[in-house]
Amino acid sequence: MNPATQSLILNASPKKKKKKIWIRIASSDYEEGLLSLIDIYGHAIQRQNMQLKPGINEFEMEPENIPAGLYYLHYSTQITRIFIIIKLMKH
């Protein structure tokens, strides 16, 4: 794939009353990547390999036994890196 034509959009939101994070990644092409949930100290809490296809890709991540707080959701491929910040709250 030509990096100049690559397009990725990452969106995540906690599922209410569940300890899951719903993740949506829009991709313009097939690609492999790594999705990581990282705490504010830079420690990877959970990692998951991803196989994307063109269009909207939806996944769930279920981190266990982590405290409420701010976390980074990092998606990376050989070409692209995307970070977003998510807030997890206890219910």
Side-chain angles (χ1 to χ4, degrees):
M1 153 128 229
N2 180 353
T5 62
Q6 168 112 40
S7 175
L8 283 173
I9 299 170
L10 175 63
N11 186 341
S13 59
K15 284 198 161 188
K16 293 183 179 183
K17 298 185 181 181
K18 293 185 180 179
K19 295 182 178 183
K20 293 183 180 181
I21 304 166
W22 184 33
I23 300 156
R24 292 170 301 282
I25 304 174
S27 178
S28 61
D29 204 353
Y30 291 95
E31 79 177 4
E32 294 180 28
L34 179 65
L35 186 67
S36 303
L37 183 64
I38 301 169
D39 68 15
I40 59 171
Y41 303 107
H43 302 113
I45 303 298
Q46 186 171 344
R47 291 189 171 129
Q48 188 171 328
N49 288 316
M50 313 298 284
Q51 299 285 330
L52 300 184
K53 61 184 182 201
I56 303 294
N57 298 266
E58 296 182 340
F59 306 94
E60 284 186 351
M61 198 178 238
E62 193 168 359
E64 295 183 21
N65 301 321
I66 63 170
L70 295 177
Y71 292 85
Y72 301 100
L73 193 58
H74 178 240
Y75 178 74
S76 62
T77 69
Q78 292 180 349
I79 302 168
T80 308
R81 288 186 176 89
I82 300 174
F83 277 98
I84 63 170
I85 298 173
I86 60 173
K87 183 177 183 179
L88 297 179
M89 300 184 299
K90 290 198 176 194
H91 291 280

